[in-house]
Amino acid sequence: MDNSEDLRADDVAQHGWAHGRLPLPTEGRDWQRFASAWDDLVPDAYLGPARCRRNRRYGRVLAHRDGTLEPLVGTEFFQSKQINRAFGDQLRVFEPLTDEALASTRFTEILRESVALVNEAAGKRDWELGIHFIRVIADADEASEPAPEGRHSDGHEYVAIHLIDRHHCVGGESQVFRRGEERARHRVTMTEPLEALVLSDTTMEHAVSEIRTEGACDCGWRDTMIVDFNTVSDLTEVPGRTHSSLQ
């Protein structure tokens, strides 16, 4: 698939994954202000000895089936060891997304486009979204693993991985696998802002190769926005409700 093609919901529905680009602008002041949020991320305190340098923030949004995006309070994130062999069975509490990021027009546009795509593939419903802003950093002496857990699924129903920026780095090839199969169904090194992979997390697995600095550069990084989709069966049971909406 050519990087310039828009994401297709029927690819997700038929094949379990789609690769393409969100049809949103990535130039001008609004985009620059949004992308600068990755300069304000904080070191991931849970990495331990993992071969990865990673800064991040995390937020949660309730995407109502009527289109309302309700910000949620709380940044707790848990995966079992069965799902995440590197970081599972521990409650991770990340620093929240900033108010500036939540107020960004580009942020809400990306969420609306992502939700619309998944709703078209899976059927319209209420979703609890987990939103990760992540910067993976490599230096001249050491590469960095964007996914230290290796080939994996994340324990959600769908996952959308959006590239925001690459700076003086090489590598970072994404691979998409059907569960139980050894051969990757798709391989791509995403290079364009808002190029994306959308995956059925119940049927597919994914991995991404290490990034390294480019040439003689001292530092390089890869910025992504990852959106986890979890079905909500009872809105009253969603923790951290604010009953407000993002514009």
Side-chain angles (χ1 to χ4, degrees):
M1 180 183 293
D2 185 85
N3 289 355
S4 63
E5 292 185 9
D6 289 346
L7 288 160
R8 293 168 52 92
D10 57 350
D11 285 337
V12 180
Q14 294 175 22
H15 307 300
W17 62 274
H19 166 228
R21 189 184 175 282
L22 288 184
L24 295 171
T26 56
E27 297 177 350
R29 184 174 298 175
D30 286 345
W31 173 258
Q32 292 172 1
R33 186 181 298 117
F34 171 67
S36 70
W38 274 256
D39 297 329
D40 193 31
L41 306 186
V42 297
D44 188 328
Y46 298 94
L47 287 175
R51 190 167 170 266
C52 176
R53 289 175 57 201
R54 182 165 65 193
N55 295 347
R56 74 190 300 166
R57 287 182 182 271
Y58 177 69
R60 298 164 50 245
V61 169
L62 182 58
H64 295 259
R65 65 185 65 204
D66 67 1
T68 303
L69 296 175
E70 177 185 341
L72 300 172
V73 175
T75 60
E76 297 84 1
F77 184 69
F78 181 84
Q79 294 171 303
S80 69
K81 199 73 171 181
Q82 184 179 6
I83 293 294
N84 189 327
R85 54 186 173 270
F87 307 111
D89 286 351
Q90 61 176 321
L91 181 65
R92 290 181 282 173
V93 183
F94 297 116
E95 289 298 311
L97 302 180
T98 64
D99 291 341
E100 291 79 6
L102 291 171
S104 167
T105 300
R106 287 291 172 269
F107 177 70
T108 54
E109 288 176 340
I110 291 169
L111 291 186
R112 292 186 194 284
E113 289 284 344
S114 301
V115 169
L117 182 91
V118 171
N119 276 340
E120 186 178 346
K124 186 177 291 187
R125 63 188 79 172
D126 299 313
W127 299 99
E128 182 178 341
L129 308 178
I131 302 149
H132 310 255
F133 284 17
I134 296 176
R135 169 171 288 179
V136 176
I137 305 164
D139 58 37
D141 297 322
E142 188 174 15
S144 195
E145 298 277 359
E149 60 269 45
R151 174 177 167 174
H152 66 286
S153 59
D154 290 302
H156 310 291
E157 293 196 48
Y158 293 88
V159 174
I161 306 166
H162 304 293
L163 182 72
I164 301 300
D165 188 27
R166 291 172 63 101
H167 179 80
H168 295 319
C169 73
V170 295
E173 180 193 67
S174 296
Q175 305 109 40
V176 179
F177 303 85
R178 186 168 294 280
R179 287 191 180 181
E181 295 182 355
E182 293 186 8
R183 183 178 179 183
R185 292 293 183 106
H186 187 64
R187 294 175 177 269
V188 62
T189 302
M190 295 191 289
T191 59
E192 298 181 17
L194 291 190
E195 192 175 348
L197 282 169
V198 178
L199 309 167
S200 166
D201 201 43
T202 60
T203 61
M204 310 301 291
E205 295 177 322
H206 57 282
V208 57
S209 67
E210 67 181 16
I211 66 165
R212 306 174 304 282
T213 55
E214 185 176 36
C217 297
D218 292 331
C219 185
W221 60 79
R222 177 179 182 263
D223 294 345
T224 53
M225 173 178 166
I226 300 174
V227 184
D228 305 326
F229 286 75
N230 303 288
T231 299
V232 174
S233 57
D234 186 345
L235 292 174
T236 65
E237 294 184 354
V238 177
R241 293 284 304 273
T242 62
H243 303 282
S244 60
S245 63
L246 300 174
Q247 301 303 312

